[in-house]
Amino acid sequence: MSKYSIIGTNTPRVDSPAKATGRALYADDIKLPGMLHGQILRSPLAHARILNIDISKAAALPGVKAVITGEDTPKVKFGNWRLFPDTQDEYPLAVDKVRFIGDEVAAVVAIDNDLACEALDLIKVEYEELPANFSVDESMAPGAPVIHDYRPDNISLNRKIEYGDLVKGFAEADFIAENTFEVHAVSHAYMEPCACVAQSDDDGRVTLWTSTQVPYIVQCLLASTLGLRENDVRVIKPVVGGGFGGKMELRAWEFCAAFLARRTGKPVKFRLSRTDELAYGRRRHGMKLYSKVGFKKDGTITAKDFRADLDGGAYNSMGPTATFLCGNFGAMLYRYPNYRYNGYHIYTNKPPAGAMRGFGAPQALFASETQMNMAAEALGLDPIEIRIKNAMVPGDQIPDVATVSSCGFIECLQEVAKMSGWKAKRAACAESRDGKGMGVGCYSFISGGVFNWLYTQYTFSAAEIRAFEDGTVHLLTPATDIGQGSDTTLKQILAEELGLRMEDIRLTVADTSVTPQSDLGTWGSRVTLMGGNAVRDAAAKIKKALAGVVSLKFDLNVIHDIGFKDGKIFPVTRPDRCLTFGQAVHMHQKFKRGEPLVARGYYVPRGKGLVTPAFSFGAQVAEVQVDRETGIVKVEKMYTAHDCGTVINPMSVDGQLEGSIEMGLGYALCERFVMDKGRTLNTTFLDYKVPTALDMPPGESVCIETFESEGPFGAKEAGEGLVSPTAPAIAEAISQATGYRFKDLPITPEKVLEGIGGLRKV
Amino acid sequence: MKHLIHLKVNGDDYELAVAPHRTLNEVLREDLALTGTKFGCGTGDCGACTVIMNGRNVSSCLTLAVEANGQDIMTIEGLAPSGQELHPIQEAFVTYGAIQCGFCTPGMIMSAKVLLDKNPNPDEPDIRAGLSGNLCRCTGYNKIVEAIEKAAHQMNQD
C-alpha cells in the first residue's frame, strides 16, 4: 500500500466541473460595465519605415473613444530578458519601423467591436518599404538588409557550450555522422485565442485580466512599458485555455488594453482572432542544425560538434533562452565526452518565434535522435542498445552547465523495448516489404529553469497558507494553471502534507495583488517542482506550529514525531492522543491571542547549475504503416516509458503524455506554416492541420518511478519533454518502412513519395 | 436594420433585436451572457462554439442569429440546468480526465450529446468520427473518447 493518501492517486482536476458546465470564466468571458472593445492595426509589410500615420478619420468616427500609435506611448522596449536590456528589442506599438507582417502599429478602442474594426480601415499609414530577409540564410548573407540597427549582422545572440577536446574525440571515432537537419516552425494552436480586459482603478492602479502563463512577468513588463511602478499594476489570470509557451511574454494587446483603460477611464477588452493567432502569433523556432557526432565501432560516442541557426523572426521574444536550451538538450541523454555547441539566434522579417513546449528540445533532439539511429544502422547495432550503451546515469554532468540527479533513462529504454516487443517486431518490420516500420526516440527535459533572466528580486515561487479553526486551509499561490493541472497538483501536495482532504483546501491563484510575491509563471515545466516546493515550505511552517500545540496539549516528550493524517494531528507512536486539525488551529490562535495562523513558503533553486534542479527522461517507440502508393503515414501505436520522478497524479500525467503525442504527431507529419515572403498563408484550422480524434493512435505507457530529492515527494517534470521523442521515433519508423531517411520535418506524403522515388535532394 | 428574432435557449424564451450579420455565437455570449459556448476560430473548424440546434450540432460561429430564429437551442449551460448535478457526459469527462484547459470541453460535450442521442451504443470509431469536428490541443483525445464510452454505458444503464 502506498504510504501516501493523495499523492499518486487519480484525483480529478479540481477545476473540471466548472469547465464541464461552462461556468469557468476565461478572459473573453469577462464583461465589465461600460467596457470598450479594442482592435490592433498591423503592418501589411515585412520590413518598412513608418513615414506617417494619420489617425484623424478613425478618431472622428462616432463611437471611437481613442486611437493610439507608438508616438503616444512612453516608447519603452520590453522583453523577458530584463537582466540583459540589450536583448529587449520590441516596442508595444511600432516606433519608426515595422519588421514583420503583423507588427503592431496602432490601436483603437470603440463602443463595440464592429466600430473598432471599421476604425482600423480609416487609419492611413505611409510606409517606405525596405528590402527584407525571409530566411536565416538570407539574413546571414553579406550585405543583407539590417533588421535591427544594433545588430548589423542580424545575429541577435550567440550562445556557446563547450567542454572536452573535440579534436581528440573525433580522432578516436571509427564512424562519424555529419548531417544537416532542418526543422520547421509550428503553432502552439492553443484553443483559446488570447484575450484580456483592463480596468483602471480610482487609486491609480491598473488591473489586467489576461490569458497568460506569466502574470508576474506581465506585471513587471507592463509597469515598465507604461511608465508605472510594479505595484501600480495588478495582473489576474482567469481560466486559461492552453498556452504551450505561447502566452509567456507581455504582448502588445495587453499593453494597449492597459494604456487605453487609463486613457479613457473605461474598461477595455482586446481579443485576438484565430487569424491573428496563426498569421502573426508566436511560434516554435524553425532551425537549421549542423551536427557531427563521432562513434566507436561498439557505439560509444566520442564527440559532438553541434550548431544551431535559429530563425528568430523579427524580435528576440523567448529566442535567447531557446538558443541556450537547444545546446543544453543537444548535450543531454547521452554521455558526450567532448562537446561543442554554437547557437545563433538570427533575425528575419517573419513573425517572431518564441517559447513553445519543449523549448529547444524538439529541434535538438530530432537531430541527435536521428543521428543515433543513423549510427546504429551504420554500425550494425540495435538502436535501443546503442542508446543504453551511451545513456546518462545519475551524477553525470554537462561540465559547468548541469548535473543529472535522478535518472531512470536506462530503465525507460529497457521498459519500452519490453512493452513494445521491440526486438521481434522490429526484425519483422525489417523483413516485411509492406510499409511497416518501427522506430525509437528519446527525451530529457528540465523541471523548471534556474536562469533568472527576468531579474526578479523575489523568490522563484511562493505560497501562502492560511489555517482556519474549522479544519480548512486557504492556499494562495501565484502558480499559474493554464490547463496542465497545477491547481490540482498543488492542492494534492498540500492535502498530503497537512493530512487534509482536497475539499478542505480553498485556492486562490495568480492574482499579483493578492497572492504572495512572486513566481515566474508556467514555463519550462517548473510548477510541480518549484511551486510544489514553495507549498511544502509553507506547509512545514504550519505543521511546526501545530505540532507544538499537540505536543503542549498532551505534554509529549520532545522526541515524538508528529503525524498529520485524516484531519488529525498526533504523535506517530501514540495516535490516540490526537487533536483535529481545526482544534489545533483553534488552540494556536488562542495561544497567539487571536493572531491567525498564516505561513509563507518559498523556493529558489541554488547550487543546481545553470539549467535546472532536475531532469526528466523517457523513451518512446512508434509503429507506423506507410502507404507506398499515396505516401500517407499512419501511426498505429505509440509506446512510452518515462521517468517523471514520483507520480503525483497518474491520470494527469497520462493526459499530458497523450497531449504530447498529439502535438509531436502534428510536428512530425502535418503541421507547418506555409509562408510566402514573410506572409503566413495558412491562417485557419482548415489549412493549418492539427491532429483530430481520428488521427490519434492508441498508446501504452509506463512510468519509471525514480525519487528526485529536489522535488516535492520526489516529483519532477512531466508532459513537456514528452513532446520531443515522437517526431524522431516516427521518422525512424518511416525510415525503416521506406528505406529513406528524413532529416527534415514535417514528413508529408509528398516527401515520402519523393523519398521512395529517389527524388529528394535533402 | 435590426431583425426581431425569437430564440428558445435551454428551454427559456428570448425576444431579441439583432443586426443581420451577428452570429448566434455573438448573441449567446454577448446578449444572453451564456459564455460557456466558446469562440475558438470563427471559421467552423475547431468546434469550440458547438451548440445543439433542433437536435443537430452546429457551429454557432457560422450560424447567423437570424437563421436561429424560432429554433430550439441547447448550450452547455442547458445540459445540467440545476447547476448542481452533472449530466453523465459531464460526469464522465470529469472522472476520466478528459478535461485539461477546458476550452474545447463545452463544444466536445455538445457534440458527444448529439452523438449519443443518435447512437446510444457507439463503438470507438463512431466516437472518433463524431468528435472529428472538435479540436483539442491538450488531451490527445483518447481520454475524451474513453469518457464518452463510459458515459454511454452509464446512460444505457440509467
Side-chain angles (χ1 to χ4, degrees):
Chain A
M1 207 184 104
S2 167
K3 58 185 166 172
Y4 301 129
S5 307
I6 295 177
I7 299 294
T9 64
N10 285 330
T11 306
R13 296 284 185 93
V14 296
D15 50 1
S16 55
K19 288 174 172 175
T21 52
R23 290 198 305 271
L25 291 180
Y26 299 76
D28 188 35
D29 301 334
I30 296 168
K31 188 175 180 179
L32 298 177
M35 188 171 80
L36 303 175
H37 296 263
Q39 281 290 338
I40 287 182
L41 183 73
R42 295 170 178 277
S43 167
L45 301 175
H47 197 193
R49 215 176 300 287
I50 299 171
L51 301 178
N52 186 45
I53 305 178
D54 179 1
I55 61 165
S56 57
K57 280 192 181 151
L61 185 70
V64 170
K65 297 297 171 189
V67 185
I68 56 165
T69 71
E71 290 303 312
D72 299 297
T73 68
K75 296 190 190 176
V76 176
K77 288 183 184 175
F78 68 93
N80 282 12
W81 276 41
R82 188 167 64 165
L83 181 60
F84 304 96
D86 244 20
T87 64
Q88 297 189 298
D89 58 1
E90 192 168 3
Y91 292 109
L93 288 175
V95 173
D96 299 333
K97 237 177 111 164
V98 288
R99 295 179 175 88
F100 73 99
I101 294 173
D103 214 347
E104 294 89 353
V105 173
V108 173
V109 280
I111 55 172
D112 67 39
N113 196 43
D114 292 343
L115 274 169
C117 291
E118 195 179 332
L120 287 190
D121 293 339
L122 299 174
I123 300 173
K124 295 290 167 239
V125 186
E126 268 180 69
Y127 292 104
E128 177 197 344
E129 192 165 1
L130 300 169
N133 308 312
F134 300 118
S135 70
V136 157
D137 292 340
E138 284 175 31
S139 285
M140 304 252 276
V146 176
I147 298 172
H148 290 267
D149 291 342
Y150 86 111
R151 288 284 184 262
D153 57 0
N154 292 320
I155 297 173
S156 85
L157 188 110
N158 171 214
R159 293 300 302 261
K160 294 174 186 172
I161 298 172
E162 188 166 2
Y163 58 84
D165 181 343
L166 277 192
V167 176
K168 181 169 150 281
F170 282 116
E172 288 167 4
D174 300 311
F175 168 74
I176 293 174
E178 187 168 6
N179 308 96
T180 302
F181 297 87
E182 228 174 315
V183 288
H184 61 308
V186 287
S187 173
H188 309 84
Y190 36 70
M191 283 295 113
E192 181 208 14
C194 288
C196 67
V197 177
Q199 184 177 38
S200 184
D201 300 0
D202 287 339
D203 71 348
R205 182 171 66 171
V206 63
T207 300
L208 182 76
W209 290 263
T210 183
S211 178
T212 186
Q213 304 178 212
V214 289
Y216 170 62
I217 291 178
V218 172
Q219 178 194 17
C220 294
L221 299 180
L222 191 53
S224 63
T225 50
L226 289 170
L228 298 174
R229 300 160 298 182
E230 279 176 22
N231 198 21
D232 299 330
V233 175
R234 177 183 187 184
V235 177
I236 302 173
K237 177 204 72 84
V239 178
V240 172
F244 313 112
K247 299 176 178 175
M248 70 163 292
E249 302 163 62
L250 175 69
R251 280 82 49 85
W253 50 94
E254 293 172 323
F255 169 87
C256 290
F259 185 90
L260 287 161
R262 281 165 56 80
R263 173 167 283 198
T264 61
K266 290 182 190 277
V268 170
K269 176 188 279 188
F270 278 78
R271 186 198 67 196
L272 267 57
S273 68
R274 184 57 62 182
T275 301
D276 290 333
E277 292 282 6
L278 286 172
Y280 319 122
R282 301 293 204 236
R283 42 197 69 189
R284 178 180 286 155
H285 284 88
M287 297 190 198
K288 266 196 157 177
L289 304 154
Y290 308 88
S291 184
K292 179 177 166 187
V293 187
F295 295 86
K296 289 188 181 163
K297 276 193 190 117
D298 67 355
T300 307
I301 296 170
T302 62
K304 176 167 180 172
D305 193 4
F306 184 39
R307 167 177 162 165
D309 290 349
L310 287 79
D311 185 344
Y315 298 100
N316 269 326
S317 178
M318 288 308 301
T321 306
T323 308
F324 170 69
L325 283 177
C326 184
N328 170 73
F329 292 122
M332 284 302 294
L333 285 177
Y334 310 110
R335 297 169 146 184
Y336 295 101
N338 306 290
Y339 181 79
R340 180 170 70 179
Y341 169 71
N342 246 311
Y344 296 94
H345 188 256
I346 297 152
Y347 287 129
T348 56
N349 292 107
K350 297 201 290 195
M356 182 172 163
R357 196 180 202 171
F359 221 170
Q363 301 96 327
L365 294 180
F366 179 69
S368 34
E369 286 300 280
T370 301
Q371 283 182 312
M372 290 304 281
N373 292 327
M374 293 168 80
E377 190 177 29
L379 299 169
L381 300 170
D382 179 88
I384 290 185
E385 292 300 325
I386 194 174
R387 284 170 164 84
I388 291 174
K389 184 162 211 62
N390 291 289
M392 281 182 151
V393 297
D396 278 353
Q397 290 194 337
I398 304 174
D400 302 326
V401 175
T403 301
V404 172
S405 45
S406 60
C407 172
F409 185 34
I410 289 176
E411 294 83 344
C412 289
L413 285 160
Q414 290 165 337
E415 183 59 38
V416 85
K418 197 169 102 194
M419 72 196 283
S420 65
W422 171 259
K423 276 221 148 72
K425 272 200 221 164
R426 171 123 168 137
C429 288
E431 291 285 306
S432 84
R433 290 283 177 276
D434 58 358
K436 281 197 185 309
M438 200 177 192
V440 61
C442 302
Y443 78 92
S444 172
F445 201 69
I446 59 175
S447 309
V450 300
F451 14 85
N452 188 13
W453 28 252
L454 184 76
Y455 202 38
T456 176
Q457 301 303 312
Y458 297 119
T459 55
F460 273 33
S461 58
E464 179 175 310
I465 300 166
R466 301 177 186 169
F468 294 84
E469 56 185 23
D470 57 11
T472 66
V473 296
H474 182 187
L475 170 64
L476 299 97
T477 170
T480 306
D481 197 330
I482 57 168
Q484 85 277 35
S486 63
D487 283 359
T488 308
T489 304
L490 295 179
K491 250 193 184 186
Q492 282 183 270
I493 288 170
L494 183 57
E496 188 70 51
E497 278 289 350
L498 298 182
L500 299 176
R501 300 167 302 174
M502 294 291 277
E503 58 265 38
D504 298 328
I505 302 169
R506 298 272 69 85
L507 194 61
T508 298
V509 296
D511 175 337
T512 62
S513 285
V514 174
T515 51
Q517 316 95 313
S518 204
D519 185 290
L520 292 170
T522 288
W523 52 269
S525 289
R526 62 193 297 287
V527 185
T528 296
L529 190 143
M530 296 192 180
N533 280 344
V535 169
R536 286 195 87 186
D537 185 38
K541 292 170 188 171
I542 295 280
K543 286 168 80 168
K544 190 173 179 190
L546 297 181
V549 169
V550 172
S551 188
L552 184 64
K553 164 80 180 173
F554 298 107
D555 193 20
L556 300 174
N557 188 318
V558 291
I559 62 168
H560 276 290
D561 281 338
I562 305 294
F564 289 72
K565 206 170 171 65
D566 300 331
K568 297 192 176 73
I569 308 173
F570 49 86
V572 172
T573 49
R574 300 273 174 80
D576 52 312
R577 297 181 182 183
C578 71
L579 290 176
T580 66
F581 189 88
Q583 285 168 337
V585 173
H586 176 85
M587 290 174 73
H588 189 270
Q589 218 157 289
K590 279 260 188 228
F591 173 72
K592 288 282 199 171
R593 306 275 291 160
E595 192 182 308
L597 177 56
V598 176
R600 279 194 171 186
Y602 302 100
Y603 177 72
V604 178
R606 293 197 177 96
K608 294 287 163 193
L610 301 178
V611 183
T612 185
F615 289 98
S616 63
F617 291 88
Q620 196 168 61
V621 165
E623 277 178 21
V624 307
Q625 173 74 50
V626 180
D627 184 326
R628 296 176 64 94
E629 292 288 315
T630 63
I632 291 173
V633 175
K634 184 170 167 42
V635 178
E636 301 209 305
K637 191 152 182 184
M638 301 295 296
Y639 302 88
T640 311
H642 61 123
D643 159 24
C644 59
T646 301
V647 177
I648 290 180
N649 189 330
M651 186 165 73
S652 226
V653 167
D654 207 37
Q656 286 286 303
L657 163 63
E658 289 171 351
S660 297
I661 290 174
E662 177 191 339
M663 210 174 255
L665 186 71
Y667 188 50
L669 298 179
C670 56
E671 290 180 37
R672 62 177 171 151
F673 285 111
V674 182
M675 304 290 295
D676 178 33
K677 297 197 185 312
R679 183 181 305 280
T680 306
L681 301 179
N682 50 339
T683 62
T684 67
F685 281 137
L686 193 61
D687 297 322
Y688 183 95
K689 302 281 188 196
V690 306
T692 72
L694 292 167
D695 303 314
M696 267 301 283
E700 279 179 40
S701 67
V702 171
C703 287
I704 302 295
E705 288 217 14
T706 58
F707 188 90
E708 170 51 52
S709 58
E710 187 73 1
F713 297 99
K716 52 187 179 178
E717 183 271 336
E720 182 166 5
L722 278 163
V723 84
S724 295
T726 308
I730 291 173
E732 166 67 6
I734 296 172
S735 160
Q736 199 196 22
T738 63
Y740 180 81
R741 181 161 313 272
F742 286 89
K743 295 188 278 295
D744 60 325
L745 295 174
I747 305 173
T748 58
E750 305 93 288
K751 287 189 194 170
V752 171
L753 289 181
E754 287 169 6
I756 292 171
L759 302 170
R760 297 211 82 209
K761 294 189 186 70
V762 182
Chain B
M1 199 186 73
K2 288 191 172 179
H3 296 258
L4 196 63
I5 62 166
H6 172 253
L7 300 181
K8 195 181 203 65
V9 183
N10 303 330
D12 298 327
D13 291 308
Y14 297 92
E15 293 277 354
L16 298 155
V18 298
H21 67 278
R22 283 177 47 92
T23 63
L24 179 59
N25 185 265
E26 290 169 325
V27 168
L28 290 172
R29 289 180 51 78
E30 293 164 20
D31 299 4
L32 306 186
L34 294 168
T35 54
T37 301
K38 300 303 175 200
F39 178 86
C41 70
T43 50
D45 296 314
C46 79
C49 68
T50 305
V51 299
I52 301 175
M53 189 156 87
N54 296 335
R56 287 193 312 129
N57 45 339
V58 301
S59 296
S60 63
C61 75
L62 290 187
T63 307
L64 291 173
V66 290
E67 290 178 88
N69 185 19
Q71 312 293 314
D72 194 351
I73 293 154
M74 182 190 271
T75 71
I76 189 70
E77 289 90 346
L79 199 55
S82 78
Q84 300 295 316
E85 286 186 7
L86 298 178
H87 184 278
I89 301 174
Q90 292 170 318
E91 186 77 54
F93 268 58
V94 170
T95 307
Y96 298 102
I99 300 174
Q100 291 191 30
C101 88
F103 202 76
C104 74
T105 305
M108 281 283 180
I109 289 176
M110 299 318 273
S111 286
K113 167 110 178 33
V114 171
L115 171 74
L116 296 185
D117 285 348
K118 288 185 182 160
N119 177 4
N121 292 298
D123 58 18
E124 194 193 315
D126 293 337
I127 296 175
R128 289 188 184 272
L131 298 181
S132 60
N134 292 76
L135 299 179
C136 170
R137 193 60 159 170
C138 300
T139 65
Y141 304 99
N142 291 351
K143 296 213 179 320
I144 296 176
V145 173
E146 182 192 353
I148 294 170
E149 280 171 349
K150 294 279 175 32
H153 184 69
Q154 181 65 39
M155 287 160 75
N156 289 334
Q157 288 197 328
D158 289 345

